[in-house]
Amino acid sequence: MALEDDRRGPVIRVTGLRNSFGDQVIHENLDLEVRRGEIIGIVGGSGTGKTVLMRSIIGLQRYTAGEVEIFGRRVSGLGELEELELRRQFGVLFQNGALFSTLTVAENIEVPMREFYHIEDALMDEIAAYKIAMVGLPPDAGPKHPSELSGGMKKRAGLARALALDPRLLFLDEPTAGLDPIGAAAFDQLILQLRQALDLTVFLITHDLDTLHTICDRVAVLADKRVLTVGTIDELLAFDHPWVQEYFRGPRGRAALASTAAGG
């Protein structure tokens, strides 16, 4: 059963979200909207629940109050078939790629296809090879196991799996963590190219200030158990809050801003 897509509204709308673990409240009355076609960065200090927010949106974390909508549909009100169809519309790159160690790269990419479709192995192999090329991996990466890949190649393999079902919405959790500056910059450019080529909306959790400056259209700041503010980098630089000012105007923030200005 295909989901109707309300193209008039945001791709993601989170309203009044509350997440807690026992007595510890992570989010309280959190609101966020993600616009169609944008790359939105999610930042915040340790313990602010960036990954918890992502998991709540994609259905891996049960929230205690509030509502989540994706493509105009309330996630909590979907039937089983509608929920499966919704899951097919987004891909997720978890931290460190989260590849299955006993499967090859090609077999990892084929896991979502086997879950959602009934197609011949030869066609799956062909699609996997296409996804491998799409993320900039060499053809011989397909038969390799994750242990045979560098950190950057693992990230790209995980991205290829996230794109296996041709999603319209992509979730990335710290995609450039652990990469050297050249590898991180190359991955940022890959995300920009894929966004343009595939008409993607991207929800991006990151600590990488270069990534925020280079590819994010807007940035949402998590603090005080909610989304404190959302805006462009310029808007955040003008936002009067101690954490925001320290984060974006500290030494690394100034360096990222100078690098962006020099590149532009």
Side-chain angles (χ1 to χ4, degrees):
M1 179 178 180
L3 287 176
E4 294 181 3
D5 183 355
D6 183 357
R7 294 186 174 272
R8 297 166 297 178
V11 170
I12 299 171
R13 178 184 283 120
V14 180
T15 308
L17 189 72
R18 186 178 197 270
N19 273 305
S20 61
F21 299 96
D23 295 332
Q24 183 183 12
V25 178
I26 307 300
H27 302 137
E28 186 72 82
N29 201 29
L30 183 152
D31 298 330
L32 177 66
E33 290 190 354
V34 179
R35 301 167 181 167
R36 186 178 305 277
E38 76 172 337
I39 299 176
I40 186 167
I42 310 297
V43 302
S46 178
T48 54
K50 300 178 290 295
T51 298
V52 172
L53 173 59
M54 185 190 81
R55 290 172 62 88
S56 297
I57 294 171
I58 65 178
L60 295 181
Q61 171 69 38
R62 187 183 293 265
Y63 44 89
T64 55
E67 196 59 70
V68 174
E69 296 180 11
I70 301 180
F71 298 120
R73 300 297 299 270
R74 293 176 58 181
V75 173
S76 60
L78 295 178
E80 182 178 354
L81 293 179
E82 289 177 316
E83 182 179 350
L84 285 173
E85 176 61 20
L86 179 62
R87 286 173 53 204
R88 195 186 67 78
Q89 301 297 321
F90 61 77
V92 185
L93 173 59
F94 295 99
Q95 290 189 39
N96 303 317
L99 298 168
F100 297 108
S101 61
T102 58
L103 301 181
T104 66
V105 169
E107 289 168 343
N108 266 279
I109 297 169
E110 292 171 6
V111 167
M113 301 182 217
R114 295 185 185 279
E115 180 180 2
F116 285 92
Y117 299 133
H118 298 284
I119 56 179
E120 296 180 354
D121 288 349
L123 179 55
M124 281 195 294
D125 291 344
E126 186 176 337
I127 295 172
Y130 174 71
K131 302 300 179 181
I132 287 169
M134 179 185 291
V135 300
L137 288 173
D140 64 1
K144 291 182 178 180
H145 286 81
S147 60
E148 302 176 84
L149 304 179
S150 67
M153 292 178 73
K154 287 179 183 177
K155 300 272 190 179
R156 289 177 183 251
L159 180 59
R161 185 177 63 186
L163 296 172
L165 302 180
D166 298 324
R168 294 178 291 160
L169 174 58
L170 184 62
F171 292 89
L172 306 175
D173 192 356
E174 297 286 1
T176 60
L179 300 183
D180 62 70
I182 294 175
F187 199 94
D188 286 342
Q189 291 305 311
L190 174 63
I191 296 303
L192 282 177
Q193 294 165 9
L194 292 172
R195 190 266 296 265
Q196 179 68 25
L198 304 178
D199 191 25
L200 291 169
T201 301
V202 182
F203 181 102
L204 168 65
I205 298 171
T206 186
H207 286 98
D208 192 326
L209 282 156
D210 288 328
T211 296
L212 295 172
H213 280 270
T214 302
I215 71 172
C216 291
D217 300 296
R218 295 190 303 150
V219 178
V221 178
L222 296 190
D224 304 328
K225 301 178 183 179
R226 60 189 176 90
V227 174
L228 186 67
T229 187
V230 186
T232 64
I233 294 293
D234 287 343
E235 290 169 339
L236 295 182
L237 288 171
F239 187 76
D240 187 17
H241 185 275
W243 190 90
V244 176
Q245 287 298 309
E246 182 179 359
Y247 189 78
F248 287 99
R249 291 190 179 276
R252 291 186 176 183
R254 292 196 300 271
L257 182 61
S259 177
T260 302

